[in-house]
Every structure is written in C-alpha cells, then in structure tokens.
C-alpha cells in the first residue's frame, strides 16, 4: 500500500466516515477540526433507501443510528392566522431513518477516536504539494507532510479554497438564507417548543418561520440577495433574522423575542457547490465541500456514500491516488447528476402569494408523492462495490 499518511479536514460527518474506512484499510489518519470539541446537537438529517442502508450496515453503525433516531415530524403549513393550508409528511421529510447531525457525528467519532488522531481547535492554513506529498501548515500545530489531503469541511471549505481557488469560483447563492436556533429538545424549553409530531410552519411570501420540529426549536428561511456579514458575529446574524421577520404575524414576534436566549444558533445562505472536478493532485474533496447544496436532502447521504467510495477505491488501487481519484469522481458524478437543479428555498418559501397557493396545492396533490419517489430513487442511483472483497481478491 502506498500513500498511507492522510489528513482529513472536518470532523462532522464526511470526515469521521472517511476516517473510519481509511483506518480500516490500513491508512494512518489524522483529522483536524476547527471547533474546540465535537459538535453536538444540530438539525436532523436523514438516510433513505438501499444504498444508504448498505453503507451504514457495512460500517457497523446502522443499529446505533436506529437506537438514536428521532421521531419523524409532519410539517403543518399555516398562514399568519394559524389556518392550516397543507401538510408535508414526516415520512417524506425524514427519509427511512432520521437522526440529529450531532448524534451521528458522535457515533462516527467513537468508531474512529481510538485509532485515528484528532486535532480539535485547529485548522489548515496552507497547502503546498511536492513530489512526495503535501506540506500542510496549521493555525496552531506544527507543519507536517502527508501523502494525501481530504477536504471534508463543508460548503465553506478551507481545503477547497487553498487547493482549488476562492469560494466565489465554486459556490452559487440560491437567493435565500436560513437560520436555526435551539436544539429540537433543549433544557428549559417551553413544552410547545419540544420535538413533537407536528412542526408548525408559517409562510408569507418569501418567508418561512417554523416552531418545533426536526430541524431545531426554531427555524427561519427568507429570500434575500447575498448579505455581507461576519460568520463569527452571532449577534449581527440574529439581528438580520429579526430585521427580515419584523411585522410577520402568527407567533413570530414571540419567537424573535426568545431568539437571543436559544443555543445552537446558525445562519447561512442556501447555496450550491458546483465543481467540474473534486480532485486536484493529492487533494480530494468529499461531501458538501465537493457538491454541497443546502437543504436539498441529498447532502449527508451523499457524503457517507462518497467516503465509502473514495476509501474503497484507494484501497483497491493499493494507494495509487491517480487511479482511485478518477474512479471516485466517475462514480459520484453519476450519483449526483439528478440533484443539481433543485432549489429548496423557492419551494419552502415562494416569493409571491400566488406561488404560495400553488406550492400548497402541489403538496396536497399526487404530484408531491411522485416527487418524493423521484428523490428517493436519485439517492440510490449507484451500484455499490463491496470493496473489502475486492481488496482481499487482490
């Protein structure tokens, strides 16, 4: 086996999943994570269909995920008077299995922490490829050389920026922002804010405010051109949400008053990563850093599958990254070809009253069920190799 020392940037989902498989195949794995500790809580994510289940089962984590899965939550779409307009089923929204992102990260971390090196509270600041490896500089740790580097660090990937170019070259703003606040079940929350069978989701043109449910205690989504704000200034970000939802009826004024006191606040654009290639030299991108699209329902499952495929192809090629990376790109591009055109912002918060009426009508129609079936098929448009058998056969 060649090229066995590897660095993974990001310890959310794609990173620990890739670490698991690479460690299993004999690679020496280091994972660097900007956060000072493993991120807990977070919104619910889901897995759907045979492809996802197969990967999770082969990882040995499927039973753990089932034990910690959330209850599926219907979204009751209402107007400002609280009148029900339509219902989106939790079976559609939550896939076959739904789990909080932080819980999944913890499961994957525990499977790798004993044998992989984790550097929390640090980040990559420089990459320089040489004939024999990649010279990596860190914010806090001493510089080191790795055979291969993997960016598993999300839509705003630092590895992508350093190896491929600025974010503006690859990330497209979809015209919407979303914010979540408060874990779905948080200490001291009023009973009405705890996870429940139904999430109340109020729409006005270009805006959505949700109370309870599978994402967080509160969720907001709003149409907007690109905003200029600091990603580290959460008070500024909360003020953006308050400004965009000022004057909205229903229970929104009370939600906004409670917003400063909720944990786990997060604001980001609904954006799409579009890249011709996921690999460059000795660097490869996995998950959202390569093909992220906020809230489109494909991200976590695609990241898990991508980690499985990339590690398996590297093992099958005995560490020859030039061969493995090409195979990885080919397989993942086939899986992702059906996911490029979705715009979840336009569906969740249409910009006009007419658009809202049409969306609500569609949710009540048979066409919505057909769309859900199409999405399920798209998530499973791949024939998985059984890489351990392939490796042993070599």
């Amino acid at each position: 086996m060649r090229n066995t020392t590897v660095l993974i940037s990001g310890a959310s989902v794609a990173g620990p999943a890739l670490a698991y498989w690479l460690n299993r195949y004999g690679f020496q794995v280091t994972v660097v994570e900007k956060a000072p500790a493993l991120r807990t809580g977070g919104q619910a994510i889901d897995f759907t269909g045979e492809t996802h289940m197969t990967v999770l089962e082969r990882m040995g984590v499927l039973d753990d995920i089932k034990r910690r899965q959330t209850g599926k939550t219907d979204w009751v779409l209402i107007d400002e008077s609280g009148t029900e307009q339509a219902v989106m089923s939790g079976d559609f929204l939550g896939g076959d299995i739904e789990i909080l992102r932080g819980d999944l990260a913890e499961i994957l971390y525990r499977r790798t922490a004993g044998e992989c090196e984790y550097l929390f509270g640090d980040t990559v600041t420089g990459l320089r490829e040489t004939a024999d490896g990649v010279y990596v500089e860190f914010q806090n740790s001493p510089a080191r050389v790795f055979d291969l580097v993997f960016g598993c660090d999300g839509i705003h990937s630092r590895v992508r920026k350093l190896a491929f170019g600025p974010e503006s070259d690859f990330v497209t703003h979809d015209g919407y922002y979303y914010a979540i606040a408060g874990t779905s079940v948080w200490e001291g929350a009023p009973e009405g804010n705890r996870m429940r069978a139904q999430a109340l989701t109020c729409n006005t043109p270009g805006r959505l405010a949700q109370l309870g449910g599978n994402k967080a205690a509160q969720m907001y989504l709003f149409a907007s051109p690109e905003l200029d704000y600091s990603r580290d200034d959460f008070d500024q970000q909360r003020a953006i949400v308050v400004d965009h939802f000022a004057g909205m009826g229903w229970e929104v004024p009370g939600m906004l008053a409670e917003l400063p006191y909720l944990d786990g606040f997060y604001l980001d654009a609904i954006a799409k990563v579009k890249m011709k290639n996921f690999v460059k030299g000795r660097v490869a991108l996995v998950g959202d850093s390569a093909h992220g699209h906020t809230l489109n329902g494909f991200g976590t499952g695609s990241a898990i599958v991508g980690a499985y495929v990339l590690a398996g192809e590297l093992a099958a090629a005995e560490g020859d990254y030039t061969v493995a990376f090409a195979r990885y790109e080919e397989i993942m591009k086939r899986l992702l070809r059906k996911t490029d055109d979705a715009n979840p912002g336009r569906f969740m918060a249409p910009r006009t009253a007419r658009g809202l009426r049409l969306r609500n009508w569609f949710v009540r129609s048979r066409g919505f069920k057909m769309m859900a079936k199409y999405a399920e098929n798209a998530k499973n448009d791949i024939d998985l190799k059984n890489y351990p058998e392939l490796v042993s056969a070599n």
Side-chain angles (χ1 to χ4, degrees):
M1 186 76 71
R2 292 169 284 170
N3 301 309
T4 56
T5 62
V6 302
L7 174 70
I8 297 171
S9 176
S12 179
V13 174
L18 182 60
Y20 170 84
W21 289 112
L22 289 174
N23 175 70
R24 176 170 171 170
Y25 294 134
F27 291 82
Q28 300 172 44
V29 180
T30 298
V31 182
V32 61
E33 167 57 44
K34 182 179 180 180
L38 196 67
R39 299 177 190 268
T40 59
Q43 65 193 50
I45 48 86
D46 65 87
F47 299 99
T48 301
E50 183 179 355
T51 298
H52 293 177
M53 297 305 117
T54 298
V55 173
L56 296 173
E57 188 171 20
R58 289 178 183 176
M59 291 183 73
V61 299
L62 183 56
D63 289 340
D64 290 340
I65 291 173
K66 287 181 177 178
R67 280 192 290 269
R68 300 180 70 171
Q69 65 182 311
T70 66
K72 297 178 182 178
T73 309
D74 293 342
W75 284 22
V76 181
L77 305 176
I78 61 176
D79 60 20
E80 288 185 280
S81 70
T83 303
E84 180 179 318
Q85 304 296 313
V87 177
M88 283 197 286
S89 167
D91 289 331
F92 164 69
L93 295 164
D96 292 335
I97 299 178
E98 183 182 83
I99 185 172
L100 294 179
R101 179 178 291 275
D103 289 348
L104 176 61
E106 182 183 357
I107 290 170
L108 298 176
Y109 171 72
R110 287 182 175 178
R111 292 292 178 122
T112 55
E115 297 179 305
C116 300
E117 177 187 19
Y118 277 81
L119 303 175
F120 285 102
D122 208 347
T123 189
V124 176
T125 58
L127 296 174
R128 187 175 76 249
E129 187 167 337
T130 69
D132 301 319
V134 184
Y135 181 81
V136 182
E137 295 176 295
F138 298 92
Q139 186 174 61
N140 298 318
S141 304
R144 292 162 63 177
V145 176
F146 297 88
D147 293 322
L148 302 171
V149 173
F150 303 108
C152 301
D153 43 356
I155 283 182
H156 305 292
S157 170
R158 180 175 290 270
V159 168
R160 186 187 61 228
K161 178 181 179 180
L162 293 170
F164 293 81
E167 181 171 309
S168 58
D169 288 351
F170 307 107
V171 180
T172 302
H173 177 60
D174 271 357
Y176 286 83
Y177 283 81
Y178 83 104
I180 57 173
T183 54
S184 293
V185 181
W186 50 284
E187 186 177 356
E191 187 63 30
N193 275 4
R194 294 179 181 271
M195 187 174 287
R196 48 189 166 182
Q198 294 182 332
L200 298 179
T201 307
C202 183
N203 271 125
T204 62
R207 297 187 293 184
L208 175 152
Q210 183 179 92
L211 190 58
N214 57 350
K215 295 298 182 186
Q218 295 183 8
M219 184 175 78
Y220 303 88
L221 188 146
F222 57 94
S224 171
E226 287 192 73
L227 301 172
D228 183 16
Y229 64 92
S230 170
R231 293 182 55 80
D232 298 321
D233 189 339
F234 297 108
D235 289 337
Q236 180 191 25
Q237 294 172 35
R238 290 186 182 92
I240 289 172
V241 173
V242 171
D243 180 61
H244 278 82
F245 284 84
M248 190 169 174
W250 185 56
E251 298 186 35
V252 173
M255 293 170 61
L256 296 176
E258 192 177 60
L259 188 59
Y261 307 102
L262 299 183
D263 64 350
F265 179 84
Y266 180 81
L267 170 73
D268 204 354
I270 295 183
K272 179 191 303 180
V273 179
K274 188 73 172 180
M275 302 190 73
K276 183 177 180 180
N277 297 103
F278 307 149
V279 302
K280 185 177 182 181
R282 292 174 175 268
V283 178
L285 304 176
V286 184
D288 283 351
S289 61
H291 45 73
H293 192 181
T294 317
L295 299 182
N296 81 333
F298 291 87
T300 306
S302 297
I304 290 286
V305 172
Y308 173 82
V309 170
L310 178 54
E313 293 295 344
L314 276 168
E318 297 182 337
D320 186 343
Y321 66 90
T322 60
V323 173
F325 283 5
R327 291 175 177 168
Y328 161 68
E329 279 196 322
E330 178 185 358
I331 293 169
M332 292 307 296
K333 285 179 180 179
R334 186 174 76 246
L335 174 65
L336 296 164
R337 65 188 176 187
K338 295 183 179 180
T339 70
D340 289 341
D341 296 330
N343 187 325
R346 285 203 304 262
F347 180 77
M348 296 168 69
R351 292 173 181 263
T352 66
R354 180 175 182 271
L356 276 175
R357 290 194 298 270
L358 288 174
R359 192 280 312 274
N360 292 338
W361 170 83
F362 178 68
V363 170
R364 296 191 298 264
S365 72
R366 294 179 61 185
F368 185 69
K369 294 181 180 179
M370 294 175 63
M371 183 186 76
K373 186 63 177 178
Y374 175 86
E376 179 180 342
N377 291 339
K379 293 179 181 181
N380 293 277
D381 186 23
I382 187 173
D383 294 322
L384 287 177
K385 298 178 184 178
N386 194 333
Y387 290 107
E389 291 182 1
L390 182 60
V391 172
S392 63
N394 288 340

